[in-house]
Amino acid sequence: MSARILVIDDDPQIRRVMRSTLTAHGYQVNDARTGEEGLEELRNSNYDLVLLDMNMPGMGGMETCRMIRSSSEIAIVMLTVNNAERQKVEALDAGADDYVTKPFSTPELLARIRATLRRLPQAPGQANLQPLVAEGVNLDLSSREVTVRGQTSRLTAREFELLSYLLARPNKTLAHRELLQAVWGPDYGDELEYLRVFINRLRKKLEPDPSKPRFLVTDAWAGYRFHLPQ
């Protein structure tokens, strides 16, 4: 069954092009003119992915993204005209899974959509991962719930994929490129801001003190490591 995509953009030409292009490639597509309309559509119908314009009048893309992410794990790709790293980080931190800078080519957009919709194949040993209970942290992998000192939060799909990949290789430094290509796809490798944002999000949910991480350790210039207490 083809994926269902909601395009949220105030530009009618962009919406028409998106609908025509994505439909031609087998996706089911609907659109909304504003963040408010998009949120209402998401409440009433089921979608697999949202293409969300960052710069819209009224409720902007960032606020819309945060509102979506507060109640849904749907895949979100942000559309932006600004290639500055600060805005990319802001988009990822708001809850986006990926972003595409305008103007973009159809192959690039389709590749980003495929990468965002994909789910990480089960990594070697991942099926045997056990719940983590250590140092005041309880991580239930079956429900994707983390409880730290009595406070429970849930991992998003992408956070879970990244953490699972690290957990399946405990106490081993994993290079940035390996993590990016394993979790986001083979077309990735240099987008270090992705890892910084998602590692920080995981630390906020997993670490008793995110400023002094015990589990998600940075090995300078090399990569990240999940420190599993012995």
Side-chain angles (χ1 to χ4, degrees), residues 111-173:
R112 295 287 178 169
I113 289 173
R114 287 193 300 270
T116 306
L117 286 172
R118 71 182 279 275
R119 284 295 173 253
L120 183 67
Q122 197 169 75
Q126 188 171 319
N128 299 318
L129 290 176
Q130 299 299 311
L132 172 68
V133 181
E135 302 181 28
V137 174
N138 188 321
L139 172 60
D140 186 340
L141 291 165
S142 63
S143 65
R144 287 193 266 154
E145 287 187 343
V146 183
T147 302
V148 180
R149 295 175 179 171
Q151 298 294 315
T152 300
S153 56
R154 196 160 191 271
L155 302 178
T156 67
R158 193 69 77 185
E159 290 167 354
F160 178 72
E161 289 177 2
L162 177 56
L163 181 60
S164 294
Y165 196 85
L166 286 159
L167 264 173
R169 300 155 181 80
N171 303 315
K172 177 184 178 182
T173 300

Side-chain angles (χ1 to χ4, degrees), residues 120 123-124 126 161-183 189 192 195 199 215-227:
L120 183 67
Q126 188 171 319
E161 289 177 2
L162 177 56
L163 181 60
S164 294
Y165 196 85
L166 286 159
L167 264 173
R169 300 155 181 80
N171 303 315
K172 177 184 178 182
T173 300
L174 301 176
H176 302 126
R177 179 174 291 275
E178 177 183 348
L179 287 169
L180 285 163
Q181 293 184 340
V183 177
L192 298 185
L195 287 178
I199 289 291
F215 301 107
L216 291 166
V217 179
T218 301
D219 288 332
W221 308 109
Y224 294 100
R225 167 171 49 91
F226 191 92
H227 172 67

